[in-house]
Amino acid sequence: MSLHRILVSLILCLGCTFAVAQSLRKESKNRKLKILLISDLNDSYGSVTYSKEVHDVVARIKDIKPDLILCGGDMVAGQKALLTASRLDSMWLAFGQYVLEPIAQLGIPFGFTVGNHDASPSYKLDRAAASSFWIKNKQKTNLVFVDDTYYPYYYSYMKDNVFFISWDASSAVIPESVKQWMAVQLEQPIAKQARARIVLGHLPLYAIVASKNKKGEVLNEADATLEFLRKHGVDMYISGHQHAYYPATKEELVLLHAGCLGGGPRPLLRHTAPATKAYALITLPKRKGIEAVEITGYEPAFHSHISLETLPDSVSGFNGTVFKWRK
């Protein structure tokens, strides 16, 4: 390579570094932050279509006007050995057409975590298809990354002085290497000085529905994982997978269980209320941290508010109890 090309490459690299630093400085300022939380959009295995509720909520985004959209995983309906690479690509193209593209056109940042139906570690074709799609569409996420070395499986980003991590909880096992990376991320000054630290992963720590009330459907060593998150200053863990909306706490950590917009809503364990699909809004006032957070769930059928009073005070599964979050 000629000296001229080396100098040009160096100048471009320095320019990119400066632009990233500028973006991070901008996102390190406190502003009111409204987050739209959606999750589990998938329907039947191999589906390239989405439910009415998915389309309805996507159509309402321009009226909701969130500052950030988070998705708790299961954006496509994989995890089936019979699905070919071509079919998986078609599924991701459908997600891009019906979900990501409308969001990108609005210019709203989109943070996601991969689910077991997106990128299960046991399904190499699934993981390859997910990685290919997200690398091609990285710019459409409109995220300001802190560390994207391992994107799309786990990565960190900033929004309005809130430090976010999406980690790979597509199975019950969080590899030690991921936890080591997480620890480094959360000990950075940019994370420590943020007004809140939020982690997004697909599998929850504790079971809250009957069909997922067993090993393999929640993160292994839930209590130890909870302590790991608390030790490193995490304020909220958001998960999907269980298809039931339940904002909870345990040992002062907020555990927000997202409902589903796709197929198969489930009732909470030992709770008589019928299952319903759901999405949620998370709001942080300007200059306030997690102590001032507002969490509001909605049923997508009529976009009606899910009252906290209708939810049980606690939910107990095989690996522990979580308690209803209170304002």
Side-chain angles (χ1 to χ4, degrees):
M1 183 182 289
S2 68
L3 179 59
H4 174 72
R5 287 187 177 180
I6 292 173
L7 288 172
V8 169
S9 297
L10 180 59
I11 291 168
L12 289 173
C13 182
L14 290 172
C16 289
T17 302
F18 178 76
V20 170
Q22 286 284 84
S23 295
L24 283 174
R25 274 196 290 272
K26 179 182 175 183
E27 292 302 343
S28 295
K29 295 180 180 179
N30 289 326
R31 302 179 186 86
K32 181 179 179 181
L33 177 60
K34 181 195 285 188
I35 302 169
L36 170 62
L37 173 63
I38 59 177
S39 191
D40 297 271
L41 314 181
N42 57 314
D43 273 303
S44 58
Y45 289 112
S47 177
V48 293
T49 59
Y50 287 89
S51 67
K52 178 181 182 299
E53 290 82 2
V54 170
H55 291 293
D56 284 353
V57 172
V58 170
R60 284 180 63 87
I61 291 172
K62 62 181 180 296
D63 298 318
I64 296 172
K65 297 179 180 178
D67 303 298
L68 172 68
I69 297 172
L70 296 179
C71 184
D74 280 1
M75 294 162 279
V76 299
Q79 206 177 24
K80 194 78 168 177
L82 295 177
L83 294 173
T84 64
S86 176
R87 185 63 176 185
L88 290 166
D89 288 342
S90 295
M91 291 155 57
W92 280 109
L93 284 172
F95 170 80
Q97 177 183 351
Y98 297 120
V99 181
L100 184 60
E101 189 60 39
I103 292 170
Q105 287 178 3
L106 293 171
I108 300 170
F110 183 83
F112 64 91
T113 187
V114 291
N116 58 298
H117 288 290
D118 302 321
S120 169
S122 302
Y123 289 76
K124 292 182 179 181
L125 285 181
D126 289 27
R127 285 182 79 82
S131 179
S132 176
F133 174 83
W134 284 114
I135 289 172
K136 288 177 184 175
N137 290 279
K138 187 176 181 181
Q139 287 189 326
K140 291 182 179 179
T141 65
N142 286 304
L143 294 172
V144 177
F145 293 98
V146 176
D147 188 340
D148 59 358
T149 305
Y150 304 101
Y151 172 91
Y153 298 121
Y154 51 102
Y155 56 96
S156 57
Y157 46 106
M158 287 289 293
K159 182 63 181 171
D160 296 340
N161 202 23
V162 177
F163 187 85
F164 292 89
I165 286 180
S166 292
W167 72 352
D168 186 0
S170 57
S171 74
V173 179
I174 303 293
E176 192 59 34
S177 59
V178 176
K179 289 185 178 180
Q180 291 172 0
W181 173 87
M182 286 261 302
V184 171
Q185 291 296 301
L186 290 163
E187 292 304 314
Q188 295 180 91
I190 194 172
K192 283 183 165 293
Q193 293 166 12
R195 57 180 169 147
R197 287 147 297 278
I198 297 176
V199 175
L200 178 68
H202 186 59
L203 263 65
L205 274 68
Y206 301 95
I208 63 167
V209 300
S211 63
K212 303 298 180 184
N213 191 27
K214 56 188 175 183
K215 189 175 180 180
E217 301 290 357
V218 295
L219 294 180
N220 289 350
E221 301 177 342
D223 290 343
T225 303
L226 179 79
E227 182 55 33
F228 169 82
L229 295 173
R230 292 182 66 246
K231 175 184 176 182
H232 293 289
V234 173
D235 298 294
M236 178 184 290
Y237 180 63
I238 302 174
S239 61
H241 191 59
Q242 306 215 44
H243 295 204
Y245 170 74
Y246 189 67
T249 60
K250 192 174 180 72
E251 296 183 23
E252 299 181 352
L253 180 67
V254 179
L255 301 173
L256 177 51
H257 305 85
C260 70
L261 287 179
R266 303 182 179 108
L268 294 168
L269 274 166
R270 290 175 282 278
H271 188 48
T272 56
T276 180
K277 296 185 179 186
Y279 64 96
L281 291 179
I282 307 163
T283 304
L284 277 175
K286 186 177 180 180
R287 297 191 181 91
K288 296 290 186 178
I290 207 71
E291 75 283 352
V293 71
E294 293 285 336
I295 303 171
T296 309
Y298 294 88
E299 295 182 13
F302 301 100
H303 305 285
S304 54
H305 173 214
I306 300 172
S307 173
L308 280 173
E309 285 67 35
T310 66
L311 300 176
D313 288 336
S314 63
V315 179
S316 296
F318 80 101
N319 68 333
T321 301
V322 294
F323 303 90
K324 182 169 64 177
W325 169 83
R326 298 181 189 279
K327 297 181 182 179

